[in-house]
């Protein structure tokens, strides 16, 4: 379709000014899942140069849920450690699909993801703490202090 041709032109241009448009295409109701997956593939190919813009877009207070979901997938796939804190904060997204994507993404970072997850154990939100504890468990992390044990098991 024309959307795919336009997307291909954006990508082929390698013009960094197109990056915000590509990121914006991850959200909203205008685009299909197939189109968003195509955008994801492009953004993953761009790699590290897109990370800061993606983090900024995902961090926005009123970011579209689809943008958060696909943004998390892309950040995890790129694997830049700068993404760990924002991914950790997305563990507690209102969309359970995003939570699952983020959990899997953080696991790819291995032990580097532990510190933000330990901080998440102190969150007010019970689901946030539960998500952090579940991911820490999958990373074979063990609480080091009594306070951490209490937070981890509650």
């Amino acid at each position: 379709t024309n959307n795919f041709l336009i997307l291909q032109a954006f990508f082929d241009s390698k013009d960094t000014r197109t990056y915000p448009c590509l990121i914006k295409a991850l959200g909203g109701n205008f685009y299909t899942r197939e189109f968003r997956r195509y955008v994801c593939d492009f953004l993953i190919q761009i790699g590290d140069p897109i990370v800061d813009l993606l983090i900024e877009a995902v961090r926005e207070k009123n970011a579209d849920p689809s943008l958060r979901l696909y943004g998390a997938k892309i950040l995890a796939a790129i694997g830049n450690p700068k993404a760990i804190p924002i991914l950790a904060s997305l563990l507690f997204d209102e969309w359970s699909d995003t939570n699952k994507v983020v959990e899997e993404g953080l696991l790819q970072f291995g032990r580097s993801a532990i510190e933000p997850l330990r901080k998440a154990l102190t969150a007010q939100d019970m689901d946030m703490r539960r998500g952090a504890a579940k991911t820490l468990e999958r990373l074979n992390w063990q609480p080091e202090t009594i306070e951490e044990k209490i937070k981890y098991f509650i």
Side-chain angles (χ1 to χ4, degrees):
T1 68
N2 287 339
N3 284 342
F4 289 99
L5 293 174
I6 293 167
L7 182 60
Q8 186 68 48
F10 273 170
F11 186 73
D12 289 346
S13 77
K14 304 290 187 215
D15 186 341
T16 58
R17 293 175 297 175
T18 65
Y19 296 173
C21 295
L22 293 170
I23 291 170
K24 191 173 183 177
L26 297 171
N29 296 321
F30 184 72
Y31 301 107
T32 64
R33 280 188 186 162
E34 180 184 8
F35 183 77
R36 286 188 182 120
R37 284 189 205 117
Y38 201 62
V39 172
C40 283
D41 290 344
F42 279 151
L43 294 176
I44 290 166
Q45 288 177 42
I46 291 169
D48 285 336
I50 201 78
V51 168
D52 289 333
L53 286 172
L54 261 175
I55 289 171
E56 187 179 314
V58 168
R59 184 178 283 146
E60 256 185 57
K61 187 175 183 179
N62 297 319
D64 182 276
S66 293
L67 189 146
R68 288 193 310 268
L69 171 67
Y70 289 105
K73 284 182 181 185
I74 296 163
L75 289 168
I78 292 172
N80 186 311
K82 284 201 256 184
I84 294 172
I86 192 68
L87 288 174
S89 74
L90 287 174
L91 251 182
F92 327 109
D93 195 81
E94 62 222 35
W95 270 26
S96 62
D97 288 348
T98 302
N99 299 342
K100 293 171 191 166
V101 165
V102 169
E103 183 179 334
E104 292 303 316
L106 285 169
L107 290 172
Q108 292 178 32
F109 288 99
R111 307 226 31 102
S112 300
I114 288 176
E115 193 54 38
L117 291 167
R118 283 176 67 188
K119 288 179 184 171
L121 289 175
T122 64
Q124 294 290 325
D125 185 281
M126 182 186 244
D127 291 332
M128 185 181 282
R129 291 191 311 271
R130 187 178 303 127
K134 182 178 170 186
T135 306
L136 284 165
E137 182 178 347
R138 291 184 65 192
L139 288 168
N140 296 316
W141 175 82
Q142 295 294 317
E144 296 172 5
T145 66
I146 291 175
E147 292 83 14
E148 279 184 340
K149 286 180 184 179
I150 291 169
K151 292 172 188 170
Y152 181 72
F153 291 111
I154 290 183

